[in-house]
Amino acid sequence: MDVKFIEIFNEKKTAISSRWLDAMIASYPNDNSGFLMNQKDRFANPVGYTFTIGIEGIIEVLVKGEDFSESVSFLEDIIKVRAIQDFTPAKAMAFVFQLKTIVREELGKEIRQNQIYDALLDFESKIDDLALTAFDIYVKYREQIYELRTDELKRMTFSLLKKANLMSEIPDQEFEHKDQK
């Protein structure tokens, strides 16, 4: 990545991180936004803490140009939270793409002055790759949630049928495959 771009980015990294966190938290209903923004304690506000640490880690990896295997844990922590909430997939993943806008707004003047448009495009390409990785993680966790819900419904249905004497215990051997005999 372009050295000048990294230098300019690092000068404004705090502002970019802060705006990205604000944009992510703005996707929550108003009653939660105040809490997520104002409560800095790790234990009193684990979601806000997870987002803050995750954003810092992701930005660090993007700027260094490292492989996403380094940032997957940061990204995964954020996606876990967003996957269990009632967001559409588009809304849950929108925060990744918001970074592009924030970077352009924060660094626009310097990028024009230094003519480092290619470096910006490279950085935005990394954000696109990050978004693809985020979506894979999101789908994995949504799948797990649906599996848990399905298993719970099966258990509840079995219990109800058993209580109504419509189902009896089925011996384990009846579940074995015929080709094992």
Side-chain angles (χ1 to χ4, degrees), residues 23-101:
M24 189 183 304
I25 290 174
S27 66
Y28 289 87
N30 289 336
D31 59 330
N32 288 340
S33 294
F35 177 75
L36 291 173
M37 290 290 289
N38 299 325
Q39 182 60 258
K40 302 292 184 200
D41 182 47
R42 175 183 186 168
F43 298 104
N45 183 7
V47 171
Y49 178 79
T50 298
F51 288 172
T52 302
I53 297 300
I55 283 173
E56 291 170 3
I58 292 167
I59 286 177
E60 195 65 36
V61 170
L62 285 171
V63 171
K64 287 181 180 176
E66 295 174 356
D67 185 23
F68 288 125
S69 61
E70 294 292 321
S71 68
V72 167
S73 64
F74 297 118
L75 184 61
E76 198 164 319
D77 291 342
I78 293 171
I79 299 300
K80 280 180 194 177
V81 172
R82 295 185 73 84
I84 62 172
Q85 296 166 335
D86 290 330
F87 289 135
T88 63
K91 191 170 181 181
M93 297 294 99
F95 79 95
V96 177
F97 296 105
Q98 289 169 336
L99 181 58
K100 284 183 176 184
T101 304

Side-chain angles (χ1 to χ4, degrees), residues 19 22 37 48 55 85 92 103 110 120 139 147 150 164 172:
R19 284 191 58 196
D22 292 346
M37 290 290 289
I55 283 173
Q85 296 166 335
V103 169
E110 291 85 354
L120 175 64
V139 168
E147 286 174 6
T150 302
D172 288 339

